[in-house]
Amino acid sequence: MYVKKLLLPAVLGAALAGQAQAMVIDFDAHPADFGTPIIESGFQFDFNSSGWGVFGPGSGACCDVNYNGTTALFADGDRNGQRAFVVMTKVGGGTFDVSALDAAVYWIGAPDGTVELTGALSGGGTVTASLNVGQGWQSFALGGGFSNLVSLTFQDSVSGAFLDAPGFGIDNINTAPVPEPESYALMLLGLGALLGLRRLSQRGHQS
């Protein structure tokens, strides 16, 4: 029994070790910030838009911002002839995963829009997704494709001026990797070992 108690945490810990560095970037501890780049939780966010920043209710930000009740990242309006976009990278370089995030349009009364995600993979190539957003904040799961990224770009699909294009807000960026099949296999192997120990223990009691 004592051996089993020791083995179970070890097995589960090994299976989940790959997710030890996971975090959710919620911007809640970040003061109102209208600079570029913005650094948060070990990540850098570079903005190219007419209006942008990390801010929440009470920040005094203009105008009719579609807050989710907390601090979030926002961008809206074309700049330098390009649709509003934000590029996320890891400070100091390196790869990262994004498994989920929350998103909505930038301003209250904006038409529904689409946030286009483009992830640059460390081995070359890209992965893409389109998030249909509206007034209500939604949670989006990205699946396993957005792994081993060197950058992730969020871009408005609509061209337009500030408070003309829908823009977007982003929050709760989950950098937890999607569990790999190997993790499940390791967990099943550990559970099999526990069952084997239980049978041995039962036989020992019976003899």
Side-chain angles (χ1 to χ4, degrees):
M1 180 67 71
Y2 181 69
V3 173
K4 287 192 286 184
K5 287 181 179 179
L6 288 177
L7 184 59
L8 181 58
V11 169
L12 294 178
L16 300 175
Q19 302 182 45
Q21 300 302 316
M23 69 168 64
V24 175
I25 305 171
D26 61 16
F27 304 102
D28 287 348
H30 201 103
D33 191 343
F34 305 96
T36 185
I38 288 175
I39 308 298
E40 173 61 32
S41 302
F43 288 87
Q44 178 170 313
F45 297 87
D46 291 274
F47 294 78
N48 186 84
S49 56
S50 297
W52 73 88
V54 167
F55 46 86
S59 65
C62 178
C63 305
D64 294 326
V65 180
N66 183 30
Y67 293 118
N68 63 351
T70 66
T71 302
L73 176 154
F74 294 94
D76 183 33
D78 293 2
R79 187 179 184 189
N80 300 323
Q82 295 178 291
R83 290 172 283 123
F85 68 85
V86 181
V87 180
M88 173 184 177
T89 54
K90 203 168 187 179
V91 173
T95 62
F96 60 96
D97 303 336
V98 174
S99 60
L101 57 86
D102 297 347
V105 295
Y106 180 102
W107 49 284
I108 296 172
D112 291 350
T114 302
V115 183
E116 298 175 343
L117 272 56
T118 303
L121 302 171
S122 66
T126 59
V127 58
T128 62
S130 296
L131 312 181
N132 296 320
V133 294
Q135 296 290 314
W137 282 77
Q138 304 174 66
S139 296
F140 297 90
L142 302 183
F146 287 81
S147 300
N148 210 26
L149 304 175
V150 293
S151 71
L152 178 59
T153 300
F154 308 87
Q155 186 164 31
D156 195 344
S157 67
V158 178
S159 177
F162 180 60
L163 299 184
D164 182 13
F168 55 86
I170 301 291
D171 201 4
N172 298 321
I173 304 171
N174 194 329
T175 61
V178 175
E180 298 291 338
E182 290 81 0
S183 297
Y184 291 118
L186 181 59
M187 191 174 295
L188 288 173
L189 181 63
L191 291 174
L194 287 176
L195 288 174
L197 285 172
R198 182 179 180 184
R199 288 172 183 168
L200 287 174
S201 176
Q202 288 174 342
R203 288 175 184 174
H205 288 305
Q206 290 172 356
S207 59

